[in-house]
């Protein structure tokens, strides 16, 4: 029989501002579920990122049904899990852990499907011949995978950690075919963006704790579409600047909602209403931003 009570959580650094608890709990309330979503901030509890396995074991033993995992633990958590979904294994990154009835811990990645669904909804006519992506970490792996799945001919990965971009490009090429992904250093951004169709941003820059632009504003231009992963705030400096320049822009809210829809299904076995949750995130983010003024 289906349960009607759930306890889930989010493990990561600086997760206090996350809107995930409200997104999940609002949808659960509408479906008549008792649903509690707890934040487990590793900075607050004093656990280093490498200690994520201890937190996974502790929450499982405390009766949690599952967890969302965010920066900087999406890759570190893998070695502490019993199994991975094919997508999470291909990516080498996990953002959702389900505790099964037998106690097994299974890692999934709903960032891929979340970004793909958001992109298809918000930038459906965007050209995907040449895409530049900033960031090759856990979120970067997911959105690059999604972008190639959507039909991008070539994704150029730019990361401050050169080896990370090279490793991700190699992994993507093994999955999608040689030459579909390449790594580049940040000093090549002017040349790369001059000939690109779009820019995907997948670093923490723009979050409340990491304000600012992830690249010089003069590299943006009309005709370049820009897809943001950061959703808190919904209007990051990158989104605001790109929109003012006439770029087609996708904020991070859609990805946050669609990955939550998939995580909700994994936790409960029930379908969430994405339309209601899109309205929720617009209301929640707007309220937060008004209160911050």
């Amino acid at each position: 029989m289906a349960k009607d009570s759930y306890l889930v959580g989010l493990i990561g650094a600086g997760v206090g501002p996350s809107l995930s608890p409200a997104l999940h709990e609002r949808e659960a309330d509408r479906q008549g579920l008792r649903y509690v979503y707890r934040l487990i901030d590793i900075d607050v509890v004093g656990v280093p990122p490498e200690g994520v396995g201890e937190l996974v074991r502790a929450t499982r033993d405390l009766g949690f049904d599952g967890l969302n995992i965010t920066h900087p633990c999406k890759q570190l958590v893998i070695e502490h899990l019993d199994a991975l979904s094919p997508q999470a294994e291909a990516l080498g990154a996990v953002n959702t852990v389900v505790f099964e009835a037998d106690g097994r811990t299974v890692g999934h990645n709903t960032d891929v499907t979340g970004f793909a669904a958001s992109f298809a909804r918000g930038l459906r006519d965007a050209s995907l011949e040449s895409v530049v992506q900033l960031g090759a970490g856990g979120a970067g792996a997911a959105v690059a995978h999604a972008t190639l799945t959507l039909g991008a001919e070539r994704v150029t990965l730019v990361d401050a950690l050169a080896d990370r971009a090279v490793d991700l490009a190699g992994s993507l090429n093994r999955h999608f075919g040689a030459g579909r992904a390449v790594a580049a250093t940040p000093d090549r951004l002017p040349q790369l963006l001059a000939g690109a169709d779009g820019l995907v941003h997948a670093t923490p820059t723009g979050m409340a704790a990491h304000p600012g632009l992830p690249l010089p504003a003069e590299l943006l231009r009309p005709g370049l579409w820009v897809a943001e992963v950061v959703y808190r705030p919904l209007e990051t400096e990158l989104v605001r600047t790109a929109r003012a320049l006439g770029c087609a822009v996708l904020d991070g809210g859609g990805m946050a909602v669609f990955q939550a829809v998939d995580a909700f299904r994994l936790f409960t076995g029930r379908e969430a209403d994405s339309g209601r949750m899109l309205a929720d995130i617009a209301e929640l983010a707007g309220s937060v931003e008004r209160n911050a003024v």
Side-chain angles (χ1 to χ4, degrees):
M1 293 180 62
K3 294 173 52 173
D4 62 3
S5 179
Y6 296 88
L7 174 61
V8 301
L10 170 64
I11 294 176
V15 296
S18 174
L19 298 180
S20 290
L23 278 176
H24 280 250
E25 290 177 354
R26 281 186 173 202
E27 179 61 17
D29 285 346
R30 288 188 290 254
Q31 297 199 24
L33 302 177
R34 294 192 295 275
Y35 195 105
V36 176
Y37 192 115
R38 297 297 189 197
L39 295 176
I40 305 168
D41 192 323
I42 62 173
D43 294 337
V44 174
V45 299
V47 175
E50 295 76 15
V52 64
E54 302 170 29
L55 295 174
V56 170
R57 288 187 289 273
T59 50
R60 179 195 60 193
D61 294 345
L62 286 169
F64 278 61
D65 295 286
L67 298 165
N68 283 135
I69 308 291
T70 192
H71 175 79
C73 301
K74 291 183 179 184
Q75 293 158 318
L76 294 169
V77 74
I78 288 176
E79 65 180 284
H80 304 287
L81 303 177
D82 296 314
L84 299 177
S85 70
Q87 196 161 68
E89 186 169 15
L91 286 169
V94 163
N95 80 324
T96 303
V97 176
V98 175
F99 298 141
E100 298 194 339
D102 61 3
R104 295 174 75 243
T105 53
V106 181
H108 301 263
N109 195 301
T110 68
D111 284 334
V112 178
T113 50
F115 183 80
S118 178
F119 194 98
R121 175 181 175 273
L123 289 173
R124 64 168 57 96
D125 297 323
S127 175
L128 288 167
E129 184 175 342
S130 177
V131 178
V132 174
Q133 177 176 306
L134 293 181
V143 296
H145 193 283
T147 303
L148 287 167
T149 300
L150 286 164
E153 293 183 25
R154 184 184 180 97
V155 174
T156 301
L157 304 164
V158 178
D159 196 285
L161 301 176
D163 289 347
R164 188 158 67 172
V166 170
D167 289 346
L168 178 56
S171 174
L172 291 166
N173 285 329
R174 287 190 293 274
H175 190 82
F176 291 97
R180 298 290 300 281
V182 296
T185 51
D187 61 290
R188 292 192 56 210
L189 273 175
Q191 173 192 353
L192 292 169
L193 286 173
D197 297 302
L199 170 69
V200 177
H201 174 237
T203 84
T205 303
M207 295 173 64
H210 305 278
L213 279 170
L215 78 172
E218 57 266 26
L219 299 186
L220 301 173
R221 55 177 170 76
L224 182 78
W225 57 258
V226 175
E228 173 70 276
V229 170
V230 174
Y231 77 91
R232 180 73 185 274
L234 274 182
E235 188 176 75
T236 61
E237 190 168 344
L238 175 61
V239 166
R240 182 168 57 254
T241 302
R243 186 177 285 130
L245 288 170
C247 302
V249 176
L250 181 69
D251 66 42
M255 178 179 175
V257 164
F258 287 108
Q259 69 82 16
V261 167
D262 291 343
F264 189 90
R265 183 191 310 111
L266 288 168
F267 293 147
T268 69
R270 294 171 167 85
E271 291 295 330
D273 187 316
S274 60
R276 295 187 304 207
M277 292 178 76
L278 285 164
D280 286 339
I281 201 166
E283 178 189 339
L284 290 164
S287 175
V288 169
E289 290 168 21
R290 284 193 300 274
N291 291 336
V293 174

